[in-house]
Amino acid sequence: MVENMSLAADTPLAEILELARTQKLAFTDLFTVAESRSAVGRKADAAEIYKAWIAFNDSNPFLHLVYFNYSVTLRQLNDLAGSINALRACLKLDPAFGPAHINLGRAFEDGGLAVQAIQQWQSYTAMTAETTAERAGHRLMTLQHIGRVMENAGLMEEAEAALWQAIELRPDKPESGQHWSALRQRQCKWPILTPSTHVTLRQLIDSMSPLTLACYSDDPMFQLAKAHRYNKSLVGRVETRALERRKAKQKTGTGKRLRVGYVSSDLRDHAVGFALREVLELHDKKSVEIYAYYCGDPVVNDPTQTRMKAAVDCWRDIATLTDLDAAKLIHDDEIDVLVDVNGYTKHARTKIFAYRPAPIIVNFCGYPGSMGSPFHQYMISDDHIVPATSEIYYSEKVFRIACDQPIDRKRVIADRPTREQAGLPKEKFVLACFNGMQKITEATYGQWIEILRQAPDSVLWLLTGGDKVDQRLRDIAEKAGISGDRIIFAPKAANAAHLARIALADLFLDTFPYGAHSTGADALTMGLPVLTFPGRSFAARFCASIVHAAGVPELICEGPADYVAKAVGFAKSPASLKTIRDALQARRETSVLRDIPGLARRLEEIFWEMQGECERGETPVPDLANLDVYYEIGAELVQAHSAFFDEASYRAHYREKLAEWHAIAPIAADSRLWSEPAA
């Protein structure tokens, strides 16, 4: 007979085990005493208590809950096998206990058994087809897990199907839709957004991440509003009192170095890592002291990370720290300028910045747009991406460098293969694009098809998206009257080998509205001309900035029609490209694109300018006024597939809609497009 006991926090372990053995430890007291020990780091004691209680209380109606807590404790002790056995025992007692299904699937996944993980979650989704609200929540979670693991395994269509079930179950929850729309972009499934009787187009738009939206729509005002909305959802309101806000130290004119911290999950062999590693090496250590905070997956023998560790003054791995603990570490390091090199990309730790661990927070290099947050005060870009007239689309104060795409001039390049070795026809005009599949829109692909139609002696060379995606693009070409054989796919290759094969093409075709970034810089570095046309948003203007920095602005087109016409012209007269190729080669080492020492000096100047503003109490406050209203207007435009080919008509439409909103409920004037009309 279990008795209710009152146990002190310091009750000896042997006494507690004896109470469990003699069935004198009540179920409620069991959780209290076990979890109190676990909370102070005595997890092994907690496990022993659960194990003893289970052994001698096998007829208790709450035994399945004890097994579940026991499994969690074992998992915290890195006893994966023991945790799996405890979860199986839990489910044997209560086969419908959702949390155990979820955790058992996660345990299988952590053990490298992705197939068994999926099967475990699928068994629960089948069981909960007719369900209660609680079971619906667990079903939603299992479908999301299935989608995530299948996506990681490269099973994109299967992941998409699982996530669609989750969306239809709870269309108001954005997590599933966020991954679903990104998956469809990666598979070139057009149209990307496909509403149903259970899910509206607006719900799908609301669920898109800022990065996915940048591939979908060239609407910088809506992108800013989306970033703001996403930040509120992702970060919310943090308890900033948990970390005392540090004031700027007086350093200007003192001879002291400015302490700059870079935070990123991509300080490794990655496009961002390749971009930043020489910059870090070239920072003037008499002017700045560099701290690097790495929040990505662990890597071994990574050349980029090895170079970065040698270049910086202090390297910190914060991947396993909580957001608050990471913020405290940065705060204690007395960082003056903290640079967010992730933005809203994979493995971003945006919440760290919400604690304001440094007086100055900067958005730079990793994310193509405004953060729309209350804590990113500055952004670094360039005049081509963010001209002065476009600052209304950014919540941060903008500082400018010559070109927003750093490169590494020391990158290793393999021996150049022949066209035959690369699977290319020797005599054809090769149009190429090495951007990710998610950047290829239906409109962009349609332009490429038109170029191929008008230039019959040309082929299109793309990076593979996998067999199914590749075949889908070939089928679309066939339906348009273009032989699928003219679409050639390059397999994945090591970076040095990929750089070597780039120059085999004749002309690089950019994508829209999310253009080439590092891929464009790689092409120009290897002497391959890049054809592009700018839009209004950050991602849609980036490639034009790189082309200008390389010294060949004649490759920047006025719009889609000019883009198609110029591509066709080059394809029909390949000799016309020789002048541009010669110019690229002649200006290679003196171009703005490769002036990395100048870039490093300019960054240091900017950091010191920011420091001066902070010391004088002039640090800007992000302008977030009326972004909820701008979001509603932008969402309407995206739903209507509205397109504006000039800035004036784009802004006029927003002002017209703002006036309609104001007529319903007054809107306070802002610094963007709305100035309240006179009474």
Side-chain angles (χ1 to χ4, degrees), residues 147 151 155-165 167 176-196 199 201 204-205 207-209 212-213 215-216 436-442 465 468-470 472-473 476:
E151 180 183 0
L155 303 171
M156 290 193 287
E157 289 197 346
E158 294 84 351
E160 179 193 337
L163 289 170
W164 183 251
Q165 290 182 62
I167 293 169
S176 305
Q178 182 178 316
H179 290 282
W180 177 84
S181 56
L183 271 171
R184 286 184 65 82
Q185 285 180 335
R186 287 171 58 193
Q187 297 175 87
C188 297
K189 285 191 171 181
W190 306 315
I192 298 299
L193 303 183
T194 54
S196 71
V199 186
L201 179 59
L204 293 175
I205 292 169
S207 71
M208 295 177 94
S209 73
T212 301
L213 179 64
C215 295
Y216 188 78
M437 286 289 176
Q438 73 278 8
K439 296 183 182 181
I440 303 175
T441 64
E442 187 172 15
K468 290 183 179 179
V469 180
D470 296 353
R472 180 173 296 113
L473 291 177
I476 293 170

Side-chain angles (χ1 to χ4, degrees), residues 96-142:
F97 189 55
H101 283 280
I102 293 169
N103 282 15
L104 183 53
R106 290 297 300 269
F108 285 140
E109 180 189 3
D110 290 343
L113 303 174
V115 172
Q116 285 174 254
I118 291 169
Q119 289 173 342
Q120 184 65 43
W121 293 323
Q122 285 176 331
S123 71
Y124 187 70
T125 60
M127 183 188 305
T128 54
E130 294 182 8
T131 188
T132 64
E134 183 180 21
R135 285 187 174 182
H138 293 145
R139 177 179 171 81
L140 177 68
M141 194 178 297
T142 55

Side-chain angles (χ1 to χ4, degrees), residues 153-278:
L155 303 171
M156 290 193 287
E157 289 197 346
E158 294 84 351
E160 179 193 337
L163 289 170
W164 183 251
Q165 290 182 62
I167 293 169
E168 291 208 309
L169 185 65
R170 289 296 302 273
D172 58 315
K173 295 285 188 181
E175 296 85 358
S176 305
Q178 182 178 316
H179 290 282
W180 177 84
S181 56
L183 271 171
R184 286 184 65 82
Q185 285 180 335
R186 287 171 58 193
Q187 297 175 87
C188 297
K189 285 191 171 181
W190 306 315
I192 298 299
L193 303 183
T194 54
S196 71
T197 53
H198 304 293
V199 186
T200 66
L201 179 59
R202 173 59 189 267
Q203 286 172 321
L204 293 175
I205 292 169
D206 288 345
S207 71
M208 295 177 94
S209 73
L211 208 58
T212 301
L213 179 64
C215 295
Y216 188 78
S217 171
D218 181 32
D219 186 336
M221 191 65 81
F222 185 48
Q223 288 175 15
L224 169 61
K226 166 67 81 171
H228 177 57
R229 181 185 175 107
Y230 188 76
N231 185 274
K232 288 193 293 183
S233 172
L234 179 71
V235 177
R237 293 175 62 88
V238 301
E239 183 49 76
T240 54
R241 287 178 297 180
L243 190 66
E244 183 180 357
R245 199 171 298 189
R246 194 167 59 77
K247 294 182 179 179
K249 288 185 175 183
Q250 182 65 41
K251 290 194 172 182
T252 303
T254 65
K256 294 179 180 177
R257 292 192 294 172
L258 198 63
R259 190 167 288 180
V260 178
Y262 288 88
V263 181
S264 178
S265 63
D266 300 324
L267 303 178
R268 54 185 174 84
D269 275 355
H270 179 278
V272 172
F274 297 148
L276 275 182
R277 60 189 180 188
E278 190 177 3

Side-chain angles (χ1 to χ4, degrees), residues 562-582:
D562 188 35
Y563 170 84
V564 171
K566 281 185 174 168
V568 171
F570 287 134
K572 288 185 173 180
S573 177
S576 62
L577 271 178
K578 186 177 186 307
T579 303
I580 295 174
R581 280 188 175 272
D582 290 345

Side-chain angles (χ1 to χ4, degrees), residues 19 104 199 213-214 299 352 370 391 418 426 461 463 600 636:
L19 290 171
L104 183 53
V199 186
L213 179 64
V299 292
I352 290 173
S370 176
E391 289 184 7
T418 64
K426 187 176 180 181
W461 190 26
L463 281 180
E636 288 179 12

Side-chain angles (χ1 to χ4, degrees), residues 366-384:
Y367 175 69
S370 176
M371 291 296 290
S373 90
F375 40 84
H376 288 80
Q377 305 125 334
Y378 296 99
M379 181 176 77
I380 298 174
S381 187
D382 66 45
D383 277 323
H384 298 282

